[in-house]
Structure formats: C-alpha cells, structure tokens
Amino acid sequence: MTKLEEARIKIDEIDENIISLYDKRLEVVLDVIRYKIENNIPITDNSREVLMLEKNLKKIKDPKYKKYYKSVLEGFIKASKEMQKDILDGTL
C-alpha cells in the first residue's frame, strides 16, 4: 500500500467521525429551532455567529489552518440556518 493510499484511508476514517458528529450537531439544531419557534425568535443571530467563529477559531493550534476551518464553520452555520428555514417553511 502506498503512502497516498494510507493517507486516504485515514481521511476516510476521520470523515466517518465527522459525519457522526455532524449528525449529532443537526439533532441539536432541531432543539434550537423548536425553541426559536416556541419563543418567536428569528433564525439568524449574527452576534452568536460572530462569537462562535471567534471562540472556535481560537482553538485551532496551527494559524495556517484557521482560514480553512473558518470556511467549515461558516458552512455549518449556513446549513444550520437552511435546515431551520426548511422546518419553518414545512419542507422538512
């Protein structure tokens, strides 16, 4: 097995862990939107998004990875808001 194949196997294993955690994250997003619906709170909370980005980016040890992780977090936020919107619209 080549080093490339070994690296790809490791990436596949990591991706499986990420998928499992992402499923758990979206389950919690369901709790969030239920609360927002019950309390008439809008989907978007810009201050929360800024705080989450700042807090999580501080945890990235290697500075060269920060901009890439920022993209991942922004994708999570976008997907979360889309899911919440779909629930509000009754399409999910």
Side-chain angles (χ1 to χ4, degrees):
M1 184 178 303
T2 68
K3 288 192 181 272
L4 177 60
E5 291 169 327
E6 289 174 3
R8 288 180 173 165
I9 288 170
K10 289 177 185 177
I11 288 172
D12 289 345
E13 291 170 355
I14 292 166
D15 285 347
E16 292 215 12
N17 289 324
I18 291 170
I19 290 166
S20 175
L21 290 170
Y22 191 68
D23 283 344
K24 291 176 184 178
R25 188 180 200 285
L26 290 182
E27 288 171 15
V28 176
V29 169
L30 290 173
D31 294 335
V32 169
I33 190 58
R34 286 183 194 116
Y35 183 87
K36 287 180 178 181
I37 290 169
E38 290 171 5
N39 293 280
N40 200 26
I41 298 171
I43 290 172
T44 300
D45 181 348
N46 290 327
S47 62
R48 165 70 179 145
E49 292 175 22
V50 168
L51 181 66
M52 187 184 98
L53 285 168
E54 288 175 359
K55 177 185 71 166
N56 287 316
L57 286 172
K58 285 179 184 176
K59 296 176 183 177
I60 299 297
K61 293 177 183 154
D62 192 327
K64 71 178 174 260
Y65 298 149
K66 284 189 182 207
K67 82 173 189 176
Y68 307 109
Y69 190 66
K70 183 175 188 244
S71 295
V72 169
L73 288 174
E74 290 170 339
F76 285 168
I77 291 167
K78 181 180 180 211
S80 174
K81 291 193 294 190
E82 287 175 2
M83 182 177 165
Q84 292 178 64
K85 183 181 178 306
D86 288 346
I87 289 169
L88 284 176
D89 293 345
T91 58
L92 180 66

